[in-house]
């Protein structure tokens, strides 16, 4: 990703803000030194130009000390549209021909 995108998240009573390294409609990878076991539930909150995006996810894998891979488990319909718009915008920054 060429533009820094951050997500506020909470997991097991801990809260943090992390840089998003990879993002798709199915999940994301965030930079964090914190580690949680697979299947741990997480809530994510993006505030981006597309609007507020809230999703629920579970930890799929850990890559200590780099970060966590998270799989989306619940995305409300209006947030799903915003998420798709965010992904398209970020892809167009990497590859301007992606939206053509």
């Amino acid at each position: 990703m060429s533009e820094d995108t951050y997500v506020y998240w909470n997991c097991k009573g801990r809260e943090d803000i992390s840089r998003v390294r990879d993002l798709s409609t199915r999940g994301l990878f965030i930079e964090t030194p914190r580690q949680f076991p697979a299947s741990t539930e997480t809530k994510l909150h993006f505030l981006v130009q597309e609007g507020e995006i809230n999703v629920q996810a579970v930890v799929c894998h850990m890559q200590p000390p780099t970060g966590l891979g998270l799989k989306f488990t619940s995305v409300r319909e209006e947030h799903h549209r915003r998420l798709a718009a965010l992904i398209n915008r970020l892809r167009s920054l990497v590859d301007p021909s992606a939206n053509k």
Side-chain angles (χ1 to χ4, degrees):
M1 263 189 248
S2 64
E3 179 180 285
D4 285 344
T5 302
Y6 290 85
V7 64
Y8 165 80
W9 58 280
N10 55 51
C11 184
K12 291 197 163 220
R14 296 191 174 209
E15 301 173 340
D16 208 346
I17 296 174
S18 295
R19 183 173 182 256
V20 176
R21 294 276 301 200
D22 190 20
L23 177 65
S24 74
T25 57
R26 297 177 63 206
L28 75 164
F29 187 86
I30 60 171
E31 290 181 351
T32 180
R34 296 180 183 207
Q35 301 297 302
F36 297 96
S39 301
T40 303
E41 295 182 2
T42 307
K43 293 182 182 176
L44 305 162
H45 310 277
F46 296 84
L47 186 54
V48 291
Q49 70 185 43
E50 289 75 15
E52 181 180 354
I53 303 169
N54 298 317
V55 301
Q56 292 182 348
V58 293
V59 175
C60 285
H61 66 275
M62 298 180 291
Q63 191 175 17
T66 308
L68 297 171
L70 304 168
K71 178 182 176 182
F72 298 143
T73 57
S74 177
V75 183
R76 292 193 342 224
E77 184 61 35
E78 66 270 20
H79 292 225
H80 193 273
R81 289 190 299 269
R82 293 178 196 150
L83 179 62
L86 172 62
I87 292 166
N88 286 337
R89 178 172 62 85
L90 295 174
R91 282 186 184 150
S92 72
L93 294 172
V94 173
D95 179 7
S97 65
N99 285 341
K100 293 182 180 177

